[in-house]
Amino acid sequence: DADVTQTPRNRITKTGKRIMLECSQTKGHDRMYWYRQDPGLGLRLIYYSFDVKDINKGEISDGYSVSRQAQAKFSLSLESAIPNQTALYFCATSRDRGSETQYFGPGTRLLVL
Amino acid sequence: AQSVTQLGSHVSVSEGALVLLRCNYSSSVPPYLFWYVQYPNQGLQLLLKYTTGATLVKGINGFEAEFKKSETSFHLTKPSAHMSDAAEYFCAVRDNTGNQFYFGTGTSLTVIP
């Protein structure tokens, strides 16, 4: 079984709808991240969390919110989706501050019409 | 702030030829540097990383990269390309707090039979 899972893998929604993307991990890592990937722009950090009570904004947090329900779960919400939020979204984990490596989920492809 | 520049969004090589993917970074402190690979419809996977010590680092699948401080570069190479190397490659740097990672815009590698 995959260590970092994301649901759904694909989603189509309409402008103005609220949508939640979910990430779960079985690696026992403290740190979790949400990125979006756009062609030609690479990966950009949306939010990151170091534990259940520690949530931090990344480079492009406007229009997004997150919830760290447990060490293993980190959800990303689009409160009112807009077309320019169409992208590939990745969740990632890392063990702790001293850990250099991030482990990525398979991604969620989101289309906002 | 850290940043990463990948020269060439698309690189094509013949099977068996040298692979060279370029990465330059900016960092005010000694960096932690990474190369990740993304195969179609998958998440990112760590290829190799430089933290401290030897400046030539070896990774999976025959790839290696050399940290050159004077050139602020961390180029990825492989002596002989294989068809299975076709993928998107991302260079990344970890910030000096250890809290965030910054990714380049990616280089798509095509291997021609």
Side-chain angles (χ1 to χ4, degrees):
Chain A
D1 289 340
D3 295 320
V4 184
T5 57
Q6 293 183 233
T7 55
R9 293 293 312 277
N10 295 279
R11 179 71 184 267
I12 300 173
T13 191
K14 295 182 178 180
T15 297
K17 294 292 187 181
R18 184 179 189 275
I19 183 170
M20 178 181 288
L21 309 182
E22 299 187 339
C23 176
S24 295
Q25 52 114 347
T26 58
K27 300 188 75 67
H29 287 174
D30 289 332
R31 299 188 162 199
M32 298 186 74
Y33 307 78
W34 275 105
Y35 293 91
R36 66 176 279 176
Q37 183 183 20
D38 298 278
L41 296 179
L43 277 75
R44 292 179 292 167
L45 183 62
I46 306 172
Y47 270 95
Y48 58 104
S49 169
F50 294 160
D51 64 34
V52 174
K53 298 180 181 180
D54 187 358
I55 305 288
N56 304 278
K57 292 183 177 180
E59 180 185 358
I60 54 164
S61 59
D62 287 349
Y64 301 94
S65 63
V66 291
S67 173
R68 185 82 182 266
Q69 301 94 323
Q71 187 205 36
K73 296 184 181 297
F74 192 36
S75 300
L76 176 72
S77 293
L78 285 66
E79 298 301 328
S80 178
I82 56 176
N84 77 359
Q85 291 178 312
T86 292
L88 186 55
Y89 290 85
F90 286 104
C91 175
T93 73
S94 65
R95 188 183 70 237
D96 53 37
R97 185 175 184 277
S99 173
E100 303 91 20
T101 303
Q102 290 191 311
Y103 298 86
F104 285 81
T108 294
R109 193 171 296 278
L110 176 66
L111 174 61
V112 182
L113 300 175
Chain B
Q2 283 77 14
S3 67
V4 176
T5 301
Q6 291 184 242
L7 297 177
S9 58
H10 298 275
V11 171
S12 294
V13 299
S14 297
E15 190 175 15
L18 171 71
V19 176
L20 171 61
L21 305 183
R22 299 178 186 274
C23 174
N24 290 87
Y25 68 91
S26 68
S27 175
S28 57
V29 297
Y32 283 12
L33 296 160
F34 309 82
W35 276 100
Y36 284 86
V37 61
Q38 183 183 28
Y39 298 105
N41 299 312
Q42 295 185 28
L44 278 70
Q45 176 185 355
L46 182 69
L47 264 182
L48 49 79
K49 62 184 177 184
Y50 169 79
T51 55
T52 59
T55 57
L56 181 64
V57 293
K58 297 184 184 299
I60 62 172
N61 302 335
F63 284 94
E64 61 183 36
E66 186 171 11
F67 168 58
K68 291 187 176 181
K69 184 178 179 180
S70 61
E71 298 177 7
T72 61
S73 69
F74 191 57
H75 301 330
L76 181 71
T77 60
K78 182 174 180 178
S80 176
H82 191 274
M83 295 300 294
S84 62
D85 294 328
E88 183 118 22
Y89 292 80
F90 292 93
C91 183
V93 61
R94 195 186 80 171
D95 76 356
N96 57 351
T97 68
N99 294 337
Q100 296 191 44
F101 296 78
Y102 296 90
F103 288 80
T105 53
T107 297
S108 178
L109 177 66
T110 299
V111 181
I112 303 167

